[in-house]
Amino acid sequence: MPTPAKLPVKVESVIRHTDSVKTFILQPLKPCPRFKPGQFLHFALETYDPGGFWPESRVFSIANSPTRRGSLRITFAVKGKFTRRMYEEVKAGDTRWVKLPYGSFFFPDEAPEVVLVAGGTGITPFLSYLEHALDTGSKSRISLIYGVRSPEYFLFGPFLEECRRGLAGFRSRVFVEDGRPAGEGIEVTKGIISLDEMLKRPAGKAEALYFLSGPLAMIRGLRKILLEAGIAAEAIRVDEWE
Ligand SMILES: Cc1cc2nc3c(=O)[nH]c(=O)nc-3n(C[C@H](O)[C@H](O)[C@H](O)COP(=O)(O)OP(=O)(O)OC[C@H]3O[C@@H](n4cnc5c(N)ncnc54)[C@H](O)[C@@H]3O)c2cc1C
């Protein structure tokens, strides 16, 4: 695993999704180390002085594939003071600092069946994995189960469409708590994420690997359901954000 590196990045663009969620596209101003889908970076607001300490930072999953590391992407939701400052202060053209890679939420290079379960912005490590799968022509059967509070938080419709077109084994299921439509051609199930349908299928169940990412309460609840359904603990991987 490469040693983490500290790099200045130019903020190429800032995408505002909602009044609390934004994406930053960041261009590394020094060579970006290799990373794996599922890993995260530290984002700092203040300038790093190489002779001094690393400034206060927070961690965010890298939302792009390592095959496209000329440009780094993070998507975040405002939670406390730091992410509020990120939302309000960071502008296109700024130079900020990141350090990466960190984390051991890894995906297999190839697996017969992969089930990705994301709540809200918890989808970010899966975006990296899916983009990587597109770039490397993955043959895995990949199911994405994605739950959001309301349609404004359903962020990556066009990318999921690209996955449907480019990945033979890809399918997705979208849950919207309030049941409102999430976009043209997107089938929505009202309510919170349910794994019932996934677990009903006899085929594949034994060999599937389950990846859970999102709020702690969601992860703990879904992990319990998977274990009760007889899924082996080793087949369940979690990316806890708290
Ligand atoms: C592996 C991982 C990946 C993540 N990926 C994403 C992502 O892609 N998108 C996303 O929206 N969120 C992600 N998160 C969550 C994100 O890191 C938190 O939402 C963010 O830290 C909230 O920061 P805040 O200061 O605004 O909130 P706060 O609630 O104020 O702080 C959050 C936590 O930061 C720590 N903290 C507080 N003060 C300091 C300080 N001075 N120095 C250092 N740490 C401090 C504390 O542990 C605190 O509980 C991820 C978290 C993890 C662990």
Side-chain angles (χ1 to χ4, degrees):
M1 191 47 60
T3 316
K6 302 179 174 80
L7 343 160
V9 286
K10 182 168 178 205
V11 181
E12 252 173 41
S13 60
V14 175
I15 303 163
R16 181 191 178 282
H17 301 290
T18 73
D19 59 8
S20 60
V21 180
K22 279 187 173 176
T23 291
F24 294 162
I25 317 278
L26 307 167
Q27 187 200 342
L29 297 176
K30 285 207 298 197
C32 180
R34 288 179 189 283
F35 60 89
K36 291 189 168 205
Q39 290 199 291
F40 63 84
L41 57 73
H42 279 258
F43 183 89
L45 285 162
E46 315 305 337
T47 301
Y48 168 60
D49 167 3
F53 291 112
W54 176 251
E56 182 176 346
S57 59
R58 294 292 186 275
V59 302
F60 301 94
S61 305
I62 305 165
N64 57 284
S65 165
T67 45
R68 305 186 196 186
R69 68 184 196 283
S71 184
L72 296 167
R73 214 163 54 216
I74 57 172
T75 296
F76 67 96
V78 173
K79 194 173 164 222
K81 272 198 205 141
F82 194 91
T83 41
R84 167 63 55 201
R85 285 190 58 203
M86 282 171 66
Y87 190 93
E88 285 172 0
E89 294 175 19
V90 175
K91 305 279 179 271
D94 287 0
T95 298
R96 306 283 171 164
W97 282 80
V98 298
K99 56 178 185 174
L100 74 154
Y102 292 92
S104 53
F105 185 62
F106 298 133
F107 300 90
D109 287 335
E110 279 296 336
E113 175 153 21
V114 171
V115 181
L116 312 171
V117 188
T121 40
I123 194 170
T124 47
F126 300 152
L127 299 176
S128 176
Y129 171 70
L130 287 167
E131 203 172 74
H132 189 255
L134 279 169
D135 286 355
T136 55
S138 168
K139 302 279 180 292
S140 301
R141 276 199 308 279
I142 306 173
S143 302
L144 171 72
I145 300 172
Y146 179 23
V148 293
R149 266 185 279 167
S150 57
E152 303 79 73
Y153 294 91
F154 178 76
L155 304 180
F156 300 101
F159 175 68
L160 298 186
E161 186 48 42
E162 202 182 319
C163 292
R164 269 187 286 276
R165 283 199 310 269
L167 289 170
F170 180 77
R171 60 202 186 117
S172 63
R173 178 112 197 260
V174 177
F175 290 84
V176 178
E177 279 183 40
D178 66 13
R180 282 187 289 146
E184 212 175 303
I186 295 166
E187 201 184 313
V188 157
T189 304
K190 184 176 178 181
I192 58 169
I193 290 173
S194 157
L195 300 179
D196 290 356
E197 201 173 288
M198 175 67 53
L199 292 171
K200 256 191 261 154
R201 296 165 315 127
K205 186 170 140 180
E207 57 185 11
L209 287 176
Y210 291 80
F211 293 84
L212 312 178
S213 172
L216 197 57
M218 178 205 98
I219 286 184
R220 296 221 166 128
L222 293 177
R223 188 166 186 278
K224 188 161 171 274
I225 290 169
L226 289 171
L227 290 172
E228 282 168 3
I231 306 294
E234 311 78 70
I236 308 169
R237 320 267 164 94
V238 302
D239 197 21
E240 284 184 2
W241 279 13
E242 289 163 62

